[in-house]
Amino acid sequence: MMNCKVMVVEDEIFVATEIESMLEELGHHPIGIAMDSASALDLARHAEIALVDLNLRDGPTGPSLGKILAEQFGVTVLFITANPSQLGDGVPGTIGVLPKPVMDEELSEAVRYAVARRHRLAAEPPTRLKLFGADNCNDREDGLGVTA
């Protein structure tokens, strides 16, 4: 499996550190925890993948942040939230949404899926991962916005 630099965008510190720990166990490189949009944008240029909650310290900024991370920074974005209905039909440039609460194995599968999508490899998504339309997601490997 390919290792990636992953940013955790989550305002609940215990949840965020648990996700970081799981990422390390999977062999990935957590680049930091962002609890609000400004922190996430500061880390964005270092990230390949971002796991993004919707409601952050600066409000319900996750959806717009996810779009910016995907479209402007070429980050592969996967939302993880207790409020998946807030995303409607999806956010341009992003993969999909995994509803909370999430079991460790399911989160591991979702990260594996995001890595595969980033590198344009075939993979099965976890059962509860709601994928956004193929035309809605930029599978960026090189930051050029090439759609798979």
Side-chain angles (χ1 to χ4, degrees), residues 28 31 42 60 68 75 87 92 96-97 101 114 116 122 130-131 134 139 147:
H28 296 293
I31 62 159
D42 285 344
I68 291 168
V75 177
L87 294 170
V97 59
K130 177 188 174 194
L131 298 177
D139 287 321
T147 303

Side-chain angles (χ1 to χ4, degrees), residues 12-70:
E12 297 290 335
I13 192 65
F14 295 115
V15 172
T17 55
E18 184 69 24
I19 293 171
E20 270 197 333
S21 177
M22 188 248 0
L23 291 168
E24 288 174 344
E25 288 174 17
L26 291 173
H28 296 293
H29 308 288
I31 62 159
I33 295 170
M35 295 186 173
D36 56 37
S37 296
S39 300
L41 293 173
D42 285 344
L43 292 171
R45 62 186 166 85
H46 304 290
E48 295 174 289
I49 294 174
L51 305 176
V52 181
D53 191 9
L54 300 188
N55 297 303
L56 305 171
R57 286 215 172 143
D58 55 349
T61 57
S64 58
L65 175 63
K67 182 178 180 184
I68 291 168
L69 292 173

Side-chain angles (χ1 to χ4, degrees), residues 70-71 74 120 138-148:
E71 293 182 345
R120 297 183 179 105
N138 293 332
D139 287 321
R140 298 177 181 204
E141 185 172 274
D142 54 12
L144 298 177
V146 177
T147 303

Side-chain angles (χ1 to χ4, degrees), residues 91-132:
V91 175
T94 66
I95 292 177
V97 59
L98 187 63
K100 289 180 182 176
V102 179
M103 301 300 291
D104 288 348
E105 184 56 34
E106 187 176 42
L107 183 56
S108 296
E109 289 174 18
V111 170
R112 285 185 202 105
Y113 181 76
V115 170
R117 287 285 298 265
R118 178 161 188 85
H119 294 286
R120 297 183 179 105
L121 302 172
E124 284 294 317
T127 305
R128 291 191 325 124
L129 177 61
K130 177 188 174 194
L131 298 177
F132 300 147

